[in-house]
Amino acid sequence: MIVAEPKPIKEILEMVKDYNKILVLGCKGCVTVCNVGGTKEAAILASTLKIAARKNGKKIEVEEHTLERQCDPEYVDEVKDMIDDYDAIISIACGVGPQFLSERYPTARVFPGVNTKFMGGAVEHGVWSERCAGCGQCVVHHFGGLCPIARCSKSLLNGPCGGSSNGKCEISQDVDCIWDIIVRKMTELGRLEELLEFMPPKSWITARDGGPRRLIREELVI
Amino acid sequence: MSDNFRPKIVAFYCSNCASSAANVAEGMDKALPDNVKMVQVPCTGRLEILHLLKPFEEGADGVYVAGCQEDSCQYVTGITKAAKRVAYVKNTLEQLDIEPERINIYNLSAGKGQAFVDVALEMNDRVRELGPVLSE
Ligand code: SF4
Ligand code: SF4
C-alpha cells in the first residue's frame, strides 16, 4: 500500500486559516488501511479543526466525506455537487488525491492533510516499512525475493557495502541492512551461489529518473 | 478563574473496575459533582480517539477516563489502549495550545468507591483552575 502519515495539525491550521467552510475528504484506499486518511481519520481531523476554532473563538463549518478512492475520476466526480459549497478542501488521501481533485475542480482550494511516505506494508500493528521504490523493472527474484533497491540505502545490487555491521546499515542503527538479510536467507536456503551472478548497472529510465511516468494498456483503453 | 465557573466535564468509565467502584461510592452516599457527565463504556479499550475529542468539540472543558488497573483489566489490554489514546489527545490539545491536563486517565480498583469520587473532584478542581477552553 501507499503509506502516509498525518501532517502536524498546526501546519494544517496554518494552511486553512483564511477559510471558514472546510471539507475534509478521506479515501477508502491505502490511506484507510494505514489508518491515516479513511472515514475515521476524516472525522478526527474535522473534530480537531472544530476544537481549534472553539479555542480561538472562530466560527467555522467543517464537514467530512470519504470517497471510495481519490485516484479514480469516477469517484472524484462524486463530490461535484458539493465542492462549491466549501472554500477549502483538505484531502487526506495520498498525494494523488489532492492532485486529482485539483485537476477535476480547477477553482477549488485543495490542501494536502497527510504526508505521503512510501510504498510498503505493516510489519506490526502501527509500524510500517518501505518495500518498493517503484523502479519499473522488478528484480527481487534475484535476491531471495527481497528488494535491495528500496531497502538498501545505496540500492546496491552486487552485495553489501563495507558499512554493514551486525545486521544494521551504516546510516542508522534503526535501519536493517537488507544485504545482511539477503545473504543470511540465501545461506540458510543453500542458494548463496545464486548471489554470485553479476548484476549489470541497472537502467533507471524506468524509474523516476526517467521523468514523470505514464502507463498505457491498450487492451483497457476504451 | 471566576468562582462562578462550572466546568463541563465528561467522564468515561468502564463497566468493570470503575463501575464497581462507582456502585460502592453510591452505597456510601458519596456524591459526584453534578457537572461531571458520566458515560459508561463496556471497556475503556473501546474508546476511540474521536470519542475523546467529541466532548471538547461540543463544549466540554475537561474529559477523563476511569478504568481498571493495568494488570487487572477484564479485557487484558483495554486500559493500556485507552492510555495511548488519551496520550494522543493530550498531544493534539497541546498542538492546539489547549492545556493537555484537560484530559486524563485514572486506574481504579474495583470496590474503591472513595477513589471514584476523588478523581471526579480532582478533575473538577483542575479544570476549574484552568478555566474555559476559549482563549480570552
Ligand atoms: S525491484 Fe523495483 S519494482 Fe521490485 S520491489 Fe524493488 S523497487 Fe519495487
Ligand atoms: S550497510 Fe547494507 S543497507 Fe546500508 S548501504 Fe550498505 S549494503 Fe546497503
mmCIF file of all heavy atoms in Angstrom, chain A residues 6-10 13 40 43-58 64, chain B residues 48-50 53-61 88 92-99 133-135:
data_model
loop_
_atom_site.group_PDB
_atom_site.id
_atom_site.type_symbol
_atom_site.label_atom_id
_atom_site.label_comp_id
_atom_site.label_asym_id
_atom_site.label_seq_id
_atom_site.Cartn_x
_atom_site.Cartn_y
_atom_site.Cartn_z
ATOM 1 N N PRO A 6 -0.110 11.599 9.150
ATOM 2 C CA PRO A 6 -0.831 12.878 9.236
ATOM 3 C C PRO A 6 0.146 14.051 9.254
ATOM 4 O O PRO A 6 1.224 13.953 9.827
ATOM 5 C CB PRO A 6 -1.555 12.801 10.588
ATOM 6 C CG PRO A 6 -1.402 11.418 11.082
ATOM 7 C CD PRO A 6 -0.248 10.794 10.374
ATOM 8 N N LYS A 7 -0.238 15.129 8.626
ATOM 9 C CA LYS A 7 0.550 16.358 8.767
ATOM 10 C C LYS A 7 0.314 16.898 10.173
ATOM 11 O O LYS A 7 -0.767 16.711 10.728
ATOM 12 C CB LYS A 7 0.068 17.409 7.768
ATOM 13 C CG LYS A 7 0.746 17.331 6.422
ATOM 14 C CD LYS A 7 0.399 18.561 5.608
ATOM 15 C CE LYS A 7 1.028 18.522 4.231
ATOM 16 N NZ LYS A 7 2.481 18.659 4.226
ATOM 17 N N PRO A 8 1.309 17.582 10.742
ATOM 18 C CA PRO A 8 1.071 18.194 12.053
ATOM 19 C C PRO A 8 -0.139 19.133 11.964
ATOM 20 O O PRO A 8 -0.297 19.853 10.976
ATOM 21 C CB PRO A 8 2.350 18.996 12.319
ATOM 22 C CG PRO A 8 3.386 18.393 11.423
ATOM 23 C CD PRO A 8 2.651 17.853 10.235
ATOM 24 N N ILE A 9 -0.981 19.088 12.987
ATOM 25 C CA ILE A 9 -2.226 19.854 12.945
ATOM 26 C C ILE A 9 -1.950 21.363 12.807
ATOM 27 O O ILE A 9 -2.690 22.078 12.129
ATOM 28 C CB ILE A 9 -3.126 19.509 14.169
ATOM 29 C CG1 ILE A 9 -4.482 20.176 14.042
ATOM 30 C CG2 ILE A 9 -2.501 19.842 15.487
ATOM 31 C CD1 ILE A 9 -5.315 19.651 12.921
ATOM 32 N N LYS A 10 -0.846 21.811 13.395
ATOM 33 C CA LYS A 10 -0.509 23.239 13.282
ATOM 34 C C LYS A 10 -0.300 23.633 11.819
ATOM 35 O O LYS A 10 -0.697 24.710 11.390
ATOM 36 C CB LYS A 10 0.768 23.541 14.077
ATOM 37 C CG LYS A 10 0.500 23.920 15.519
ATOM 38 C CD LYS A 10 1.729 24.610 16.094
ATOM 39 C CE LYS A 10 1.552 25.316 17.387
ATOM 40 N NZ LYS A 10 0.646 25.115 18.359
ATOM 41 N N LEU A 13 -3.688 23.813 10.175
ATOM 42 C CA LEU A 13 -4.412 25.015 10.610
ATOM 43 C C LEU A 13 -3.886 26.252 9.890
ATOM 44 O O LEU A 13 -4.647 27.130 9.486
ATOM 45 C CB LEU A 13 -4.273 25.200 12.125
ATOM 46 C CG LEU A 13 -5.078 24.227 12.980
ATOM 47 C CD1 LEU A 13 -4.693 24.357 14.447
ATOM 48 C CD2 LEU A 13 -6.571 24.449 12.799
ATOM 49 N N LYS A 40 -12.650 7.262 9.586
ATOM 50 C CA LYS A 40 -12.339 7.555 10.986
ATOM 51 C C LYS A 40 -11.445 8.780 11.110
ATOM 52 O O LYS A 40 -11.680 9.670 11.917
ATOM 53 C CB LYS A 40 -11.548 6.371 11.577
ATOM 54 C CG LYS A 40 -12.301 5.510 12.513
ATOM 55 C CD LYS A 40 -11.298 4.574 13.185
ATOM 56 C CE LYS A 40 -12.010 3.411 13.792
ATOM 57 N NZ LYS A 40 -11.101 2.471 14.436
ATOM 58 N N ALA A 43 -13.042 12.050 10.354
ATOM 59 C CA ALA A 43 -13.839 12.538 11.487
ATOM 60 C C ALA A 43 -12.930 13.135 12.565
ATOM 61 O O ALA A 43 -13.256 14.159 13.175
ATOM 62 C CB ALA A 43 -14.673 11.392 12.064
ATOM 63 N N ILE A 44 -11.798 12.499 12.788
ATOM 64 C CA ILE A 44 -10.860 13.007 13.812
ATOM 65 C C ILE A 44 -10.323 14.383 13.412
ATOM 66 O O ILE A 44 -10.294 15.315 14.215
ATOM 67 C CB ILE A 44 -9.695 12.002 14.037
ATOM 68 C CG1 ILE A 44 -10.226 10.756 14.747
ATOM 69 C CG2 ILE A 44 -8.547 12.634 14.831
ATOM 70 C CD1 ILE A 44 -9.227 9.623 14.873
ATOM 71 N N LEU A 45 -9.944 14.511 12.135
ATOM 72 C CA LEU A 45 -9.405 15.805 11.692
ATOM 73 C C LEU A 45 -10.484 16.887 11.748
ATOM 74 O O LEU A 45 -10.234 18.008 12.217
ATOM 75 C CB LEU A 45 -8.808 15.686 10.281
ATOM 76 C CG LEU A 45 -8.244 16.980 9.696
ATOM 77 C CD1 LEU A 45 -7.204 17.618 10.626
ATOM 78 C CD2 LEU A 45 -7.614 16.732 8.322
ATOM 79 N N ALA A 46 -11.701 16.527 11.307
ATOM 80 C CA ALA A 46 -12.794 17.513 11.329
ATOM 81 C C ALA A 46 -13.044 17.964 12.765
ATOM 82 O O ALA A 46 -13.176 19.163 13.043
ATOM 83 C CB ALA A 46 -14.054 16.913 10.713
ATOM 84 N N SER A 47 -13.059 17.006 13.694
ATOM 85 C CA SER A 47 -13.304 17.352 15.092
ATOM 86 C C SER A 47 -12.172 18.236 15.630
ATOM 87 O O SER A 47 -12.423 19.221 16.333
ATOM 88 C CB SER A 47 -13.420 16.063 15.912
ATOM 89 O OG SER A 47 -13.709 16.354 17.247
ATOM 90 N N THR A 48 -10.942 17.892 15.276
ATOM 91 C CA THR A 48 -9.792 18.676 15.743
ATOM 92 C C THR A 48 -9.874 20.121 15.240
ATOM 93 O O THR A 48 -9.604 21.061 15.987
ATOM 94 C CB THR A 48 -8.477 18.012 15.271
ATOM 95 O OG1 THR A 48 -8.503 16.649 15.680
ATOM 96 C CG2 THR A 48 -7.259 18.694 15.863
ATOM 97 N N LEU A 49 -10.275 20.282 13.981
ATOM 98 C CA LEU A 49 -10.401 21.639 13.426
ATOM 99 C C LEU A 49 -11.483 22.429 14.168
ATOM 100 O O LEU A 49 -11.336 23.626 14.420
ATOM 101 C CB LEU A 49 -10.731 21.580 11.930
ATOM 102 C CG LEU A 49 -9.653 20.991 11.006
ATOM 103 C CD1 LEU A 49 -10.206 20.828 9.603
ATOM 104 C CD2 LEU A 49 -8.406 21.866 10.989
ATOM 105 N N LYS A 50 -12.554 21.708 14.535
ATOM 106 C CA LYS A 50 -13.642 22.393 15.242
ATOM 107 C C LYS A 50 -13.205 22.779 16.662
ATOM 108 O O LYS A 50 -13.584 23.837 17.166
ATOM 109 C CB LYS A 50 -14.893 21.507 15.294
ATOM 110 C CG LYS A 50 -15.587 21.410 13.934
ATOM 111 C CD LYS A 50 -16.868 20.616 14.042
ATOM 112 C CE LYS A 50 -17.006 19.641 12.909
ATOM 113 N NZ LYS A 50 -18.070 18.671 13.072
ATOM 114 N N ILE A 51 -12.401 21.918 17.286
ATOM 115 C CA ILE A 51 -11.901 22.256 18.631
ATOM 116 C C ILE A 51 -10.981 23.480 18.535
ATOM 117 O O ILE A 51 -11.057 24.398 19.356
ATOM 118 C CB ILE A 51 -11.166 21.052 19.277
ATOM 119 C CG1 ILE A 51 -12.143 19.897 19.495
ATOM 120 C CG2 ILE A 51 -10.518 21.458 20.594
ATOM 121 C CD1 ILE A 51 -11.494 18.584 19.894
ATOM 122 N N ALA A 52 -10.146 23.505 17.498
ATOM 123 C CA ALA A 52 -9.245 24.655 17.309
ATOM 124 C C ALA A 52 -10.059 25.926 17.134
ATOM 125 O O ALA A 52 -9.728 26.973 17.698
ATOM 126 C CB ALA A 52 -8.346 24.419 16.100
ATOM 127 N N ALA A 53 -11.152 25.838 16.370
ATOM 128 C CA ALA A 53 -11.995 27.013 16.136
ATOM 129 C C ALA A 53 -12.631 27.464 17.447
ATOM 130 O O ALA A 53 -12.689 28.655 17.751
ATOM 131 C CB ALA A 53 -13.070 26.686 15.105
ATOM 132 N N ARG A 54 -13.070 26.474 18.237
ATOM 133 C CA ARG A 54 -13.689 26.803 19.537
ATOM 134 C C ARG A 54 -12.680 27.542 20.410
ATOM 135 O O ARG A 54 -12.987 28.565 21.014
ATOM 136 C CB ARG A 54 -14.125 25.495 20.206
ATOM 137 C CG ARG A 54 -14.740 25.721 21.558
ATOM 138 C CD ARG A 54 -15.085 24.427 22.278
ATOM 139 N NE ARG A 54 -15.361 24.736 23.668
ATOM 140 C CZ ARG A 54 -15.181 23.892 24.675
ATOM 141 N NH1 ARG A 54 -14.720 22.671 24.443
ATOM 142 N NH2 ARG A 54 -15.449 24.256 25.905
ATOM 143 N N LYS A 55 -11.472 27.008 20.423
ATOM 144 C CA LYS A 55 -10.412 27.614 21.237
ATOM 145 C C LYS A 55 -10.160 29.067 20.813
ATOM 146 O O LYS A 55 -9.935 29.942 21.639
ATOM 147 C CB LYS A 55 -9.146 26.756 21.090
ATOM 148 C CG LYS A 55 -7.836 27.446 21.372
ATOM 149 C CD LYS A 55 -7.544 27.446 22.856
ATOM 150 C CE LYS A 55 -6.233 28.156 23.144
ATOM 151 N NZ LYS A 55 -6.158 28.618 24.509
ATOM 152 N N ASN A 56 -10.197 29.298 19.503
ATOM 153 C CA ASN A 56 -9.871 30.630 19.001
ATOM 154 C C ASN A 56 -11.102 31.525 18.845
ATOM 155 O O ASN A 56 -11.005 32.603 18.273
ATOM 156 C CB ASN A 56 -9.136 30.522 17.659
ATOM 157 C CG ASN A 56 -7.842 29.750 17.819
ATOM 158 O OD1 ASN A 56 -7.151 29.900 18.821
ATOM 159 N ND2 ASN A 56 -7.523 28.890 16.864
ATOM 160 N N GLY A 57 -12.225 31.027 19.317
ATOM 161 C CA GLY A 57 -13.453 31.819 19.237
ATOM 162 C C GLY A 57 -13.860 32.114 17.804
ATOM 163 O O GLY A 57 -14.436 33.152 17.505
ATOM 164 N N LYS A 58 -13.555 31.174 16.915
ATOM 165 C CA LYS A 58 -13.835 31.372 15.491
ATOM 166 C C LYS A 58 -15.028 30.511 15.087
ATOM 167 O O LYS A 58 -15.189 29.401 15.609
ATOM 168 C CB LYS A 58 -12.587 30.895 14.722
ATOM 169 C CG LYS A 58 -12.269 31.694 13.481
ATOM 170 C CD LYS A 58 -11.003 31.147 12.830
ATOM 171 C CE LYS A 58 -11.232 31.017 11.350
ATOM 172 N NZ LYS A 58 -10.146 30.388 10.641
ATOM 173 N N GLU A 64 -17.160 16.289 6.769
ATOM 174 C CA GLU A 64 -16.229 15.268 6.294
ATOM 175 C C GLU A 64 -16.957 14.308 5.357
ATOM 176 O O GLU A 64 -18.176 14.121 5.480
ATOM 177 C CB GLU A 64 -15.589 14.531 7.472
ATOM 178 C CG GLU A 64 -16.471 13.538 8.171
ATOM 179 C CD GLU A 64 -16.760 13.886 9.625
ATOM 180 O OE1 GLU A 64 -16.675 15.058 10.018
ATOM 181 O OE2 GLU A 64 -17.112 12.944 10.355
ATOM 182 N N GLU B 48 -12.391 5.351 21.356
ATOM 183 C CA GLU B 48 -11.526 5.742 20.245
ATOM 184 C C GLU B 48 -11.155 7.203 20.413
ATOM 185 O O GLU B 48 -11.782 7.929 21.192
ATOM 186 C CB GLU B 48 -12.275 5.542 18.941
ATOM 187 C CG GLU B 48 -12.755 4.106 18.831
ATOM 188 C CD GLU B 48 -12.679 3.577 17.434
ATOM 189 O OE1 GLU B 48 -12.152 4.279 16.562
ATOM 190 O OE2 GLU B 48 -13.150 2.461 17.226
ATOM 191 N N ILE B 49 -10.163 7.611 19.638
ATOM 192 C CA ILE B 49 -9.698 8.996 19.710
ATOM 193 C C ILE B 49 -10.874 9.957 19.517
ATOM 194 O O ILE B 49 -11.020 10.941 20.246
ATOM 195 C CB ILE B 49 -8.589 9.217 18.667
ATOM 196 C CG1 ILE B 49 -7.321 8.497 19.141
ATOM 197 C CG2 ILE B 49 -8.314 10.697 18.436
ATOM 198 C CD1 ILE B 49 -6.294 8.265 18.075
ATOM 199 N N LEU B 50 -11.728 9.620 18.551
ATOM 200 C CA LEU B 50 -12.860 10.511 18.259
ATOM 201 C C LEU B 50 -13.791 10.674 19.474
ATOM 202 O O LEU B 50 -14.282 11.768 19.736
ATOM 203 C CB LEU B 50 -13.637 9.991 17.049
ATOM 204 C CG LEU B 50 -14.699 10.938 16.497
ATOM 205 C CD1 LEU B 50 -14.071 12.238 16.002
ATOM 206 C CD2 LEU B 50 -15.484 10.281 15.371
ATOM 207 N N LEU B 53 -12.274 13.215 21.632
ATOM 208 C CA LEU B 53 -12.238 14.577 21.069
ATOM 209 C C LEU B 53 -13.623 15.226 21.079
ATOM 210 O O LEU B 53 -13.755 16.422 21.336
ATOM 211 C CB LEU B 53 -11.728 14.543 19.627
ATOM 212 C CG LEU B 53 -10.242 14.285 19.392
ATOM 213 C CD1 LEU B 53 -9.980 14.128 17.894
ATOM 214 C CD2 LEU B 53 -9.382 15.410 19.952
ATOM 215 N N LYS B 54 -14.645 14.418 20.771
ATOM 216 C CA LYS B 54 -16.005 14.962 20.596
ATOM 217 C C LYS B 54 -16.471 15.847 21.751
ATOM 218 O O LYS B 54 -17.038 16.918 21.513
ATOM 219 C CB LYS B 54 -17.011 13.825 20.360
ATOM 220 C CG LYS B 54 -17.077 13.398 18.911
ATOM 221 C CD LYS B 54 -17.882 14.386 18.068
ATOM 222 C CE LYS B 54 -17.683 14.101 16.589
ATOM 223 N NZ LYS B 54 -18.231 15.142 15.723
ATOM 224 N N PRO B 55 -16.267 15.420 23.018
ATOM 225 C CA PRO B 55 -16.723 16.302 24.097
ATOM 226 C C PRO B 55 -16.081 17.694 24.006
ATOM 227 O O PRO B 55 -16.768 18.695 24.210
ATOM 228 C CB PRO B 55 -16.261 15.578 25.369
ATOM 229 C CG PRO B 55 -16.113 14.152 24.971
ATOM 230 C CD PRO B 55 -15.699 14.161 23.534
ATOM 231 N N PHE B 56 -14.800 17.746 23.675
ATOM 232 C CA PHE B 56 -14.139 19.055 23.566
ATOM 233 C C PHE B 56 -14.766 19.862 22.436
ATOM 234 O O PHE B 56 -14.952 21.062 22.542
ATOM 235 C CB PHE B 56 -12.632 18.882 23.326
ATOM 236 C CG PHE B 56 -11.884 18.433 24.557
ATOM 237 C CD1 PHE B 56 -11.335 17.157 24.630
ATOM 238 C CD2 PHE B 56 -11.747 19.280 25.642
ATOM 239 C CE1 PHE B 56 -10.662 16.738 25.767
ATOM 240 C CE2 PHE B 56 -11.072 18.874 26.789
ATOM 241 C CZ PHE B 56 -10.528 17.596 26.853
ATOM 242 N N GLU B 57 -15.071 19.153 21.337
ATOM 243 C CA GLU B 57 -15.700 19.839 20.205
ATOM 244 C C GLU B 57 -17.054 20.415 20.634
ATOM 245 O O GLU B 57 -17.425 21.512 20.237
ATOM 246 C CB GLU B 57 -15.881 18.828 19.063
ATOM 247 C CG GLU B 57 -16.538 19.402 17.835
ATOM 248 C CD GLU B 57 -16.949 18.312 16.852
ATOM 249 O OE1 GLU B 57 -16.224 17.294 16.722
ATOM 250 O OE2 GLU B 57 -18.008 18.475 16.216
ATOM 251 N N GLU B 58 -17.748 19.660 21.465
ATOM 252 C CA GLU B 58 -19.122 20.055 21.798
ATOM 253 C C GLU B 58 -19.254 20.840 23.095
ATOM 254 O O GLU B 58 -20.332 20.939 23.669
ATOM 255 C CB GLU B 58 -20.013 18.811 21.778
ATOM 256 C CG GLU B 58 -20.236 18.383 20.337
ATOM 257 C CD GLU B 58 -20.900 17.038 20.190
ATOM 258 O OE1 GLU B 58 -21.445 16.542 21.189
ATOM 259 O OE2 GLU B 58 -20.871 16.502 19.069
ATOM 260 N N GLY B 59 -18.142 21.354 23.582
ATOM 261 C CA GLY B 59 -18.253 22.308 24.685
ATOM 262 C C GLY B 59 -17.702 21.860 26.031
ATOM 263 O O GLY B 59 -17.753 22.619 26.995
ATOM 264 N N ALA B 60 -17.154 20.624 26.111
ATOM 265 C CA ALA B 60 -16.597 20.199 27.400
ATOM 266 C C ALA B 60 -15.300 20.959 27.677
ATOM 267 O O ALA B 60 -14.580 21.352 26.759
ATOM 268 C CB ALA B 60 -16.337 18.696 27.389
ATOM 269 N N ASP B 61 -15.004 21.148 28.970
ATOM 270 C CA ASP B 61 -13.756 21.797 29.365
ATOM 271 C C ASP B 61 -12.738 20.771 29.841
ATOM 272 O O ASP B 61 -11.554 21.079 29.993
ATOM 273 C CB ASP B 61 -14.032 22.798 30.500
ATOM 274 C CG ASP B 61 -15.090 23.817 30.087
ATOM 275 O OD1 ASP B 61 -14.807 24.598 29.173
ATOM 276 O OD2 ASP B 61 -16.208 23.796 30.656
ATOM 277 N N TYR B 88 -2.508 10.487 23.006
ATOM 278 C CA TYR B 88 -2.641 11.062 21.665
ATOM 279 C C TYR B 88 -3.442 12.368 21.719
ATOM 280 O O TYR B 88 -3.072 13.373 21.133
ATOM 281 C CB TYR B 88 -3.324 10.040 20.737
ATOM 282 C CG TYR B 88 -3.499 10.513 19.317
ATOM 283 C CD1 TYR B 88 -2.602 10.138 18.315
ATOM 284 C CD2 TYR B 88 -4.575 11.336 18.960
ATOM 285 C CE1 TYR B 88 -2.764 10.581 17.011
ATOM 286 C CE2 TYR B 88 -4.742 11.785 17.661
ATOM 287 C CZ TYR B 88 -3.835 11.398 16.689
ATOM 288 O OH TYR B 88 -3.998 11.841 15.397
ATOM 289 N N THR B 92 -2.672 16.237 20.841
ATOM 290 C CA THR B 92 -3.483 17.067 19.934
ATOM 291 C C THR B 92 -3.831 18.394 20.621
ATOM 292 O O THR B 92 -3.678 19.468 20.028
ATOM 293 C CB THR B 92 -4.781 16.332 19.540
ATOM 294 O OG1 THR B 92 -4.419 15.112 18.905
ATOM 295 C CG2 THR B 92 -5.649 17.158 18.598
ATOM 296 N N LEU B 93 -4.285 18.307 21.878
ATOM 297 C CA LEU B 93 -4.672 19.533 22.589
ATOM 298 C C LEU B 93 -3.474 20.482 22.676
ATOM 299 O O LEU B 93 -3.598 21.686 22.434
ATOM 300 C CB LEU B 93 -5.173 19.198 24.001
ATOM 301 C CG LEU B 93 -6.479 18.406 24.096
ATOM 302 C CD1 LEU B 93 -6.835 18.151 25.556
ATOM 303 C CD2 LEU B 93 -7.633 19.120 23.392
ATOM 304 N N GLU B 94 -2.329 19.909 22.979
ATOM 305 C CA GLU B 94 -1.119 20.726 23.109
ATOM 306 C C GLU B 94 -0.845 21.478 21.810
ATOM 307 O O GLU B 94 -0.513 22.657 21.813
ATOM 308 C CB GLU B 94 0.060 19.808 23.436
ATOM 309 C CG GLU B 94 0.908 20.360 24.535
ATOM 310 C CD GLU B 94 1.908 19.352 25.055
ATOM 311 O OE1 GLU B 94 1.748 18.132 24.790
ATOM 312 O OE2 GLU B 94 2.853 19.800 25.719
ATOM 313 N N GLN B 95 -1.013 20.763 20.689
ATOM 314 C CA GLN B 95 -0.769 21.407 19.392
ATOM 315 C C GLN B 95 -1.773 22.519 19.117
ATOM 316 O O GLN B 95 -1.514 23.408 18.324
ATOM 317 C CB GLN B 95 -0.825 20.373 18.276
ATOM 318 C CG GLN B 95 0.339 19.393 18.327
ATOM 319 C CD GLN B 95 0.364 18.542 17.082
ATOM 320 O OE1 GLN B 95 0.476 19.053 15.982
ATOM 321 N NE2 GLN B 95 0.245 17.248 17.248
ATOM 322 N N LEU B 96 -2.935 22.427 19.766
ATOM 323 C CA LEU B 96 -3.950 23.469 19.585
ATOM 324 C C LEU B 96 -3.813 24.560 20.651
ATOM 325 O O LEU B 96 -4.701 25.399 20.798
ATOM 326 C CB LEU B 96 -5.353 22.854 19.655
ATOM 327 C CG LEU B 96 -5.688 21.764 18.638
ATOM 328 C CD1 LEU B 96 -7.109 21.261 18.845
ATOM 329 C CD2 LEU B 96 -5.531 22.269 17.212
ATOM 330 N N ASP B 97 -2.701 24.513 21.410
ATOM 331 C CA ASP B 97 -2.483 25.454 22.515
ATOM 332 C C ASP B 97 -3.584 25.365 23.565
ATOM 333 O O ASP B 97 -3.989 26.368 24.154
ATOM 334 C CB ASP B 97 -2.340 26.899 22.002
ATOM 335 C CG ASP B 97 -1.125 27.039 21.091
ATOM 336 O OD1 ASP B 97 -0.093 26.412 21.410
ATOM 337 O OD2 ASP B 97 -1.223 27.726 20.059
ATOM 338 N N ILE B 98 -4.084 24.160 23.769
ATOM 339 C CA ILE B 98 -5.056 23.904 24.841
ATOM 340 C C ILE B 98 -4.318 23.037 25.877
ATOM 341 O O ILE B 98 -3.570 22.128 25.511
ATOM 342 C CB ILE B 98 -6.295 23.142 24.292
ATOM 343 C CG1 ILE B 98 -7.019 24.006 23.243
ATOM 344 C CG2 ILE B 98 -7.244 22.753 25.415
ATOM 345 C CD1 ILE B 98 -8.162 23.307 22.524
ATOM 346 N N GLU B 99 -4.520 23.328 27.150
ATOM 347 C CA GLU B 99 -3.782 22.617 28.198
ATOM 348 C C GLU B 99 -4.048 21.106 28.130
ATOM 349 O O GLU B 99 -5.214 20.686 28.234
ATOM 350 C CB GLU B 99 -4.177 23.128 29.601
ATOM 351 C CG GLU B 99 -3.955 24.609 29.818
ATOM 352 C CD GLU B 99 -5.110 25.471 29.330
ATOM 353 O OE1 GLU B 99 -6.035 24.929 28.697
ATOM 354 O OE2 GLU B 99 -5.066 26.691 29.578
ATOM 355 N N VAL B 133 -12.180 26.573 27.847
ATOM 356 C CA VAL B 133 -11.244 26.302 26.742
ATOM 357 C C VAL B 133 -10.983 27.549 25.894
ATOM 358 O O VAL B 133 -9.876 27.777 25.434
ATOM 359 C CB VAL B 133 -11.798 25.151 25.852
ATOM 360 C CG1 VAL B 133 -11.050 25.072 24.527
ATOM 361 C CG2 VAL B 133 -11.697 23.822 26.588
ATOM 362 N N LEU B 134 -12.011 28.335 25.736
ATOM 363 C CA LEU B 134 -11.905 29.518 24.865
ATOM 364 C C LEU B 134 -10.813 30.464 25.345
ATOM 365 O O LEU B 134 -10.754 30.797 26.518
ATOM 366 C CB LEU B 134 -13.254 30.247 24.888
ATOM 367 C CG LEU B 134 -13.358 31.480 23.993
ATOM 368 C CD1 LEU B 134 -13.463 31.051 22.539
ATOM 369 C CD2 LEU B 134 -14.568 32.302 24.381
ATOM 370 N N SER B 135 -9.942 30.898 24.410
ATOM 371 C CA SER B 135 -8.913 31.853 24.826
ATOM 372 C C SER B 135 -9.537 33.237 24.968
ATOM 373 O O SER B 135 -10.458 33.599 24.246
ATOM 374 C CB SER B 135 -7.737 31.861 23.856
ATOM 375 O OG SER B 135 -8.156 31.644 22.563
#
